[in-house]
Amino acid sequence: TLGVVIETPSASLEGRELFAASDFALIGLDSFAQLLLAADVRSAYQTVRERIQSPHPAVLRAVRKLVRLADGQQLELGVYGECLTWPGAVELLIGIGMRRFVVRSSQLPSMHERLGALDPNLCERVAEQAARAVTREELRAGLPGTWRA
């Protein structure tokens, strides 16, 4: 079994080729988001760090494209990273079709609870609107209140 990890924007642009040569794929959401948004969580500048502190529509759209590509190739695609702890992140990912999440064993109970409480239809509707947002703030404003906690 051979898998590929997508962590860079260039790897996502070569997704079709990488997926064709793989049995499964994972998206390293932290690295992918940081590189896509030109952000660094360790930056000395708050405005740079803020780019990576909540879901961003550009990242959502890029992941959605990878989900669709993987579905078309009937490839298992999962996602991992600390970004999954962002308010609304899991719900938005479910809404764009992500069905596999890799989390630390200590996070399994809360992830099971979180996933079990979701309404997939609501996730889809909100994710579609969120993917059309222009800014993080616009995306966040469209999230149900319970997703922002």
Side-chain angles (χ1 to χ4, degrees), residues 2-55:
L2 179 66
V4 64
V5 176
I6 305 292
E7 290 189 326
T8 64
S10 61
S12 73
L13 293 172
E14 296 179 9
R16 185 178 320 281
E17 294 81 9
L18 292 169
F19 289 177
S22 304
D23 299 311
F24 69 95
L26 293 171
I27 300 171
L29 197 54
D30 297 337
S31 296
F32 186 65
Q34 284 186 75
L35 293 169
L36 188 64
L37 299 173
D40 184 351
V41 293
R42 296 175 301 273
S43 174
Y45 302 98
Q46 177 64 24
T47 56
V48 174
R49 288 193 310 270
E50 285 174 354
R51 289 185 202 156
I52 193 72
Q53 293 177 341
S54 64

Side-chain angles (χ1 to χ4, degrees), residues 107-120:
Q107 295 173 320
L108 282 173
S110 63
M111 182 61 89
H112 277 284
E113 183 178 323
R114 192 171 175 185
L115 291 171
L118 294 180
D119 173 353

